Amino acid sequence: MYVTIPTDGAAAAPIPALINAKPKSPETHVKTGSYLYFEGDDVKWLYLVKSGVLRLTRLLEDGRRQVIAFGYPGDVVGFPAERQHHTDCDVLIDADLQPFSLSCLEGNCSHQETHRQLLQAALREISGMQDHFMMLGRKSAVEKVASFLCVLTDRVGTKVGNYSQVELPMTRTDIADFLGLTTETVCRTLTQMRRDDIIAIDNIQTIIIQRPTVLLDLSLGDEK
Amino acid sequence: MYVTIPTDGAAAAPIPALINAKPKSPETHVKTGSYLYFEGDDVKWLYLVKSGVLRLTRLLEDGRRQVIAFGYPGDVVGFPAERQHHTDCDVLIDADLQPFSLSCLEGNCSHQETHRQLLQAALREISGMQDHFMMLGRKSAVEKVASFLCVLTDRVGTKVGNYSQVELPMTRTDIADFLGLTTETVCRTLTQMRRDDIIAIDNIQTIIIQRPTVLLDLSLGDEK
DNA sequence: CGGGTTCTTGACTATCTTCAACGAAAGTGG
DNA sequence: CCACTTTCGTTGAAGATAGTCAAGAACCCG
């Protein structure tokens, strides 16, 4: 999942046709805290996330970290470069994964349609990352956090009465490392939104969107 | 071209095997200032850059701009999402391009090897963008500018006597919009590097790398 | 040569980070 | 089950980095 240019919520996440592809191997279940792969590992499989949440990270020697993406249902993770993984990937929420062999991405498998769908997933990945560039390079802290909440709500929010609600399975530090901010800035930004009654923080992991249009405006950088 | 984690210069840019692929259409020549495509255009072709420099940009309604990438020889530009372009692309330096039809990327062409190479190019793209995330999200202004110069020098620098030299066909504003900075910050950073005798600015477009190891250290965030 | 763009520099400011402290939550072991 | 430890989240104060605004210099192009 990347922070794409947010919409008014009308556009739901596209469900990849991949989900209908004939799998070549059985579904995998992975537990919170376990690692799927590490940077430098040889790529053997790509994974379509069917449920749960994954976290893709990259580390610098000095300890600085970037969360590259979160893997939500519908996302495909594990695209290789030079046949190797370039991020670590671990599990935030118990997940069901549909593995696809690397050779299938590369076209050396019998099921041609799956190959095509994996390619489409790679192209969606590129496009999503381009949007994310704009967010990392050009948006303010408020815009980043607001955009993040908008995208998450669109993808995995639930309606509760009049309000939308969204779960944050990742820590504040994860969000900060995803958006190019510090933990403190993410905290303060959420607090300010709470004070402005734009959101409510039910428990630490649960955000209620009280004024979605205001949040959307914030994400777009509309003044005040 | 993305700002990947810089190396000591030993690793040259990988020359894609694509360059040997049998083209299905003749080479195209494009002039400085012309546009290859705009955001929203239907994708008909991908282009392998054989010479020259392209610029890929994305605009926000309020005028903020992100330079998504520069297209240098060896790069492939024009990967679609939903069969549409998601950036504008124009020409900074007269370029020779090798077009490949969209259907070839999608596997509907006779030349299977070209299809494979285009897919590999897309995967390299994803990996390069992941590195760029780290740069946009977690690096300081000095580190960004130093990284940028390192990568450019590695890819297209020329040796002149004891020093490396690199041409900057893009404006300072382009560099700023690529790195998530302002023009002024890019300027000041270059000036400081010049004062520290790390680089020399021959003319506005030509940078001479006088102390490459210091520049590399700066790009990695080593203190002082 | 002249007008427009791009680059550079300075002064000032705002945003975000850093450092520090504390409370809440969650995990651990007796 | 409860004390203990550790991690995570929140808030404040102070500071640094990069942005904004403004002006002049350099460069480019017809």
Side-chain angles (χ1 to χ4, degrees), chain A residues 171-172 184 187-188 191 194 204:
Chain A
T171 66
R172 302 292 192 258
E184 293 93 329
C187 253
R188 276 187 255 269
T191 300
R194 183 164 50 70
I204 284 176

Side-chain angles (χ1 to χ4, degrees), chain A residues 11-23:
Chain A
I15 292 162
L18 204 51
I19 225 147
N20 300 317
K22 270 251 176 53

Side-chain angles (χ1 to χ4, degrees), chain A residues 3-9 131 134-135 138-151 193 212-224, chain B residues 59-64:
Chain A
V3 177
T4 50
I5 309 300
T7 64
D8 57 8
D131 277 10
M134 177 69 84
M135 205 269 322
R138 283 285 168 248
K139 289 199 173 181
S140 69
V142 178
E143 290 171 287
K144 286 177 178 181
V145 173
S147 301
F148 178 69
L149 291 178
C150 283
V151 170
M193 288 178 178
T213 47
V214 178
L215 189 66
L216 184 62
D217 286 349
L218 279 185
S219 79
L220 298 172
D222 295 3
E223 54 275 60
K224 283 281 125 41
Chain B
L59 277 175
L60 248 38
E61 282 110 14
D62 59 13
R64 281 182 290 182

